[in-house]
Amino acid sequence: MRYVVTIIFIFTSSFAYSQESKFLELNLGAGVIDIYGELLPAPGLSLVYGKIYENKRSIYNSQDYIFEWQIGLALPSVVTGKLTFGLGDSDKYWGLSIRPWPLFIGPQVKLNNWSFSFEYSPSTEIEDIGASRRITSFDVPWILNLGWRKQL
């Protein structure tokens, strides 16, 4: 985990962002929960505060790119957070998201006020009384999210 934090710090500190904005986002999620080998629907909800940093094209770079973080309250995990690195601008982009808690990784697309993501949990599976269990993702192997964002 220490290496992941170090890589993220080096990656983000190497960019000089030209614009930043704050937002609130309401997310609805759906996934499946693995209960003793049977997959059952698992809903989710979050309200997060975040900031997006945008770097515009210049003579030195040929592509707009963004870095975004968000943190907030969630159900069923109580708290959640996410980091996103992407190509595009703050209004429309596609990128890779890393959610440290609960642990998920996957693509995210933002179109105007809407965001969409599909995230997979790479959590280590362990054997617990004959059933596989993902410790850091609440037994959920993947989630789909739909979010609506309000700029502050």
Side-chain angles (χ1 to χ4, degrees):
M1 185 64 173
R2 180 176 35 181
Y3 298 112
V4 172
V5 172
T6 303
I7 289 169
I8 290 171
F9 175 75
I10 291 170
F11 184 75
T12 58
S13 63
S14 65
F15 296 129
Y17 290 95
S18 60
Q19 184 178 354
E20 65 180 63
S21 58
K22 300 173 187 175
F23 62 87
L24 280 176
E25 186 172 281
L26 177 65
N27 294 290
L28 298 173
V32 292
I33 188 165
D34 185 359
I35 299 178
Y36 298 107
E38 187 174 342
L39 298 178
L40 300 172
L45 174 70
S46 69
L47 178 63
V48 296
Y49 167 82
K51 199 179 259 192
I52 185 167
Y53 303 89
E54 179 181 355
N55 192 338
K56 296 285 190 183
R57 274 177 242 198
S58 70
I59 192 169
Y60 302 108
N61 61 322
S62 61
Q63 179 68 41
D64 293 348
Y65 52 89
I66 61 98
F67 168 69
E68 173 183 296
W69 62 264
Q70 51 185 256
I71 189 166
L73 301 174
L75 292 173
S77 65
V78 181
V79 295
T80 189
K82 185 162 59 170
L83 303 172
T84 302
F85 305 95
L87 297 176
D89 58 35
S90 61
D91 199 35
K92 295 178 181 142
Y93 69 77
W94 61 272
L96 181 66
S97 293
I98 301 166
R99 186 184 301 271
W101 181 256
L103 182 61
F104 286 93
I105 186 168
Q108 177 168 310
V109 174
K110 181 175 179 297
L111 300 170
N112 302 317
N113 290 339
W114 296 95
S115 65
F116 309 91
S117 67
F118 172 78
E119 301 170 26
Y120 172 75
S121 176
S123 300
T124 305
E125 293 187 8
I126 64 168
E127 292 299 316
D128 179 22
I129 314 173
S132 67
R133 181 172 165 219
R134 296 173 190 270
I135 298 173
T136 57
S137 67
F138 296 91
D139 288 334
V140 178
W142 58 264
I143 53 176
L144 291 168
N145 294 304
L146 171 65
W148 185 83
R149 185 174 293 188
K150 169 82 173 131
Q151 296 295 331
L152 300 178

